[in-house]
Amino acid sequence: MDLPAPLLIFYGRNDALDDGLLRIPALRAARTAFPRSHIVYGSRGKSSLTGMLHKHAAPLVDDFRTIVPLSAILAEFARPGGRTTVVDFRAGVPGLIVTGLQLLSRGVRYEPNFAGHLLSLRWGTRWTLRPEHNAWRYHRLIERLAGRHLPFDHRLDAPQAAGPRRAGFAEPATGR
């Protein structure tokens, strides 16, 4: 008997362009690992994934809910008796702990981002958010969820017009 695919909810804060770019590899890994799952992306504020990056995120996400609290997304999509997982991209450790405790009583599996900080911790250096590691940390959240390593694909498809050689244009002179 096949169990129904779990509902996957990804939740973030306001997603500026860089946040959206860093989350696309994790969304791609989730779609690869859980092809039958219903994937919802939500955020407390606006998201570049529904704006400038929509073309890249749309094939990976089934529903977007922006400027919506996580509780409202759960009320809309979670079904009694169904399996639901929340992957929380937010970084505030106290808020992640509170959210985890709230979801525990609802039977929701919770993958908070704070564990990801430990994956890129460098002993002897002052702790700071390091954006260059965020894409990998988000990807590692999905690998933990899937229980296996997944391909890390950070590339975005460029329009043909942005390619290196367009018809009718000469190569730039090098000056040599």
Side-chain angles (χ1 to χ4, degrees):
M1 176 173 90
D2 272 347
L3 292 173
L7 168 67
L8 296 176
I9 299 173
F10 294 90
Y11 198 71
R13 57 177 180 78
N14 292 338
D15 291 342
L17 181 61
D18 59 336
D19 296 319
L21 285 170
L22 295 174
R23 290 178 181 158
I24 287 176
L27 293 171
R28 190 174 287 134
R31 181 51 75 197
T32 299
F34 305 100
R36 295 181 352 184
S37 289
H38 187 86
I39 296 178
V40 178
Y41 187 88
S43 61
R44 287 189 330 215
K46 294 181 180 181
S47 175
S48 62
L49 295 175
T50 60
M52 293 177 66
L53 297 172
H54 189 264
K55 167 180 108 168
H56 302 288
L60 308 172
V61 175
D62 297 307
D63 286 293
F64 291 94
R65 295 295 184 268
T66 58
I67 315 174
V68 177
L70 179 57
S71 59
I73 296 170
L74 284 165
E76 180 180 355
F77 289 99
R79 300 292 170 244
R83 296 180 304 154
T84 300
T85 299
V86 172
V87 178
D88 200 336
F89 289 139
R90 297 175 294 171
V93 174
L96 295 175
I97 292 170
V98 169
T99 301
L101 292 172
Q102 291 169 341
L103 294 177
L104 185 65
S105 66
R106 295 182 69 166
V108 173
R109 181 176 176 181
Y110 185 58
E111 287 291 331
N113 187 27
F114 67 77
H117 288 292
L118 299 176
L119 296 173
S120 60
L121 183 65
R122 293 186 295 211
W123 296 103
T125 60
R126 186 168 116 358
W127 184 86
T128 61
L129 290 175
R130 294 186 306 277
E132 66 270 17
H133 291 280
N134 286 352
W136 266 107
R137 285 198 341 246
Y138 299 149
H139 182 79
R140 291 296 302 236
L141 288 170
I142 308 310
E143 287 184 330
R144 276 201 315 270
L145 185 63
R148 61 188 169 100
H149 289 291
L150 296 164
F152 180 77
D153 186 358
H154 66 282
R155 297 168 295 158
L156 294 179
D157 296 328
Q160 187 173 2
R165 295 182 186 198
R166 294 188 305 181
F169 291 92
E171 287 288 318
T174 60
R176 294 185 191 178

